[in-house]
Amino acid sequence: MASTLGLGLASSSADHKTCGENFAMKFKLYHCPGTRSARVKWLLHELIGDAFEVEIVPLLEAVQYTPDFLSKNPNHGVPVLEITAQDGNSMHMIESGAMIALLADSFPEKCLAPCPDHLSLQRADYLQMLHFGASWMDMVLWQIRVHEHILPSSDRDPLTVRRYRRKFANEIEPQLHARLATTRFICGDTFSAADCVIGQNVRWARAYHLCAHDVFTRYLSRLSERPAYAQAFSDMTRTAGPEIPEDSPAVALFTG
């Protein structure tokens, strides 16, 4: 039995597993290189190496709009994380921030998230930055991308691009700069799962000539030293540009 967003999954004592039992669950990531799914792929490599399945979703071919894919994610995008329990029950997660939070908490021995069992300032800061990256920062970058490289040229709005570029440069980037100027990673001197979100977003921003300061260069250099980072982005092609061909079937179906 499969469900989206966990609907239809009965709760039981089996939901409270040790990390060893969590590892017995099967993970399948629906992924497209150069998209948000890279942040989830990165964390999975950090946590369980290569012990998960990856299915490439060719977004430019509009596979995400087919009935089969829409049954997994009605929002027609990646990532989708299929989680299958030992009893055969499965579900599809469709929000990358939720995937990151769940996975990091499920493998506490990897120490990629402050302990969720008690309230702490470290936990609050970690969750704040994880969700800041997956919501606010992501949204601003997405508006820039949509209006510069995805919508048909007749539908692009230069005012929207200028507004969100200005907002990113004047509001978002200074917050990140202030942190990374004094710490090695986004929540301090220790790498956490929040860096999988913020780090991927910084890569994304730099493709649009944002986050150009040396502090971000050094941050990405530190991240790139991690083997899981290299694995997560190894499928990126250097020749691929951000522009979406207007004859791509995905353009006509794109709803924003």
Side-chain angles (χ1 to χ4, degrees):
M1 177 179 69
S3 65
T4 299
L5 299 179
L7 299 177
L9 286 179
S11 62
S12 69
S13 60
D15 293 333
H16 303 285
K17 297 177 179 290
T18 67
C19 58
E21 290 171 312
N22 280 328
F23 188 73
M25 286 192 170
K26 295 181 180 178
F27 299 100
K28 179 176 181 178
L29 179 66
Y30 293 84
H31 166 62
C32 183
T35 69
R36 297 175 181 90
S37 58
R39 62 181 65 150
V40 182
K41 188 171 186 286
W42 179 3
L43 183 59
L44 283 167
H45 284 304
E46 294 277 0
L47 296 172
I48 58 175
D50 295 326
F52 62 98
E53 184 180 353
V54 177
E55 181 172 320
I56 299 297
V57 181
L59 298 180
L60 293 183
E61 298 174 20
V63 170
Q64 67 273 29
Y65 295 103
T66 62
D68 179 63
F69 191 87
L70 289 171
S71 70
K72 300 176 179 66
N73 184 359
N75 297 331
H76 48 78
V78 293
V80 174
L81 182 64
E82 181 178 283
I83 306 174
T84 304
Q86 288 179 293
D87 62 5
N89 281 323
S90 65
M91 68 164 290
H92 295 104
M93 295 189 74
I94 61 176
E95 289 294 335
S96 67
M99 296 174 206
I100 296 290
L102 174 72
L103 289 168
D105 285 347
S106 297
F107 296 87
E109 78 282 8
K110 298 295 184 178
C111 300
L112 295 186
C115 179
D117 292 343
H118 65 275
L119 180 63
S120 69
L121 297 181
Q122 291 78 12
R123 177 75 179 176
D125 187 58
Y126 158 79
L127 287 174
Q128 177 163 267
M129 292 313 298
L130 192 160
H131 291 288
F132 175 80
S135 58
W136 190 243
M137 184 182 182
D138 188 296
M139 180 277 293
V140 173
L141 287 169
W142 182 239
Q143 289 299 317
I144 296 169
R145 173 146 179 74
V146 164
H147 285 279
E148 288 196 4
H149 289 123
I150 297 181
L151 288 172
S153 55
S154 58
D155 292 343
R156 297 178 185 180
D157 180 11
L159 291 177
T160 294
V161 172
R162 288 198 293 272
R163 180 181 302 113
Y164 281 108
R165 279 187 169 275
R166 184 168 56 246
K167 190 171 189 66
F168 192 98
N170 294 341
E171 298 179 24
I172 293 175
E173 194 168 317
Q175 296 180 59
L176 303 179
H177 184 282
R179 285 173 169 263
L180 294 170
T182 58
T183 64
R184 288 176 53 79
F185 299 102
I186 202 63
C187 292
D189 288 328
T190 302
F191 176 85
S192 73
D195 289 294
C196 292
V197 178
I198 298 295
Q200 192 257 341
N201 278 357
V202 169
R203 280 181 56 110
W204 184 2
R206 285 168 71 89
Y208 285 88
H209 308 291
L210 298 163
C211 289
H213 193 277
D214 286 348
V215 73
F216 297 108
T217 303
R218 293 191 292 271
Y219 175 55
L220 290 180
S221 178
R222 288 190 289 273
L223 295 177
S224 68
E225 294 172 358
R226 305 184 68 82
Y229 175 98
Q231 288 175 286
F233 296 103
S234 63
D235 51 14
M236 292 279 291
T237 59
R238 295 190 178 187
T239 56
E243 193 72 44
I244 305 298
E246 290 202 14
D247 60 355
S248 165
V251 172
L253 295 170
F254 182 71
T255 58

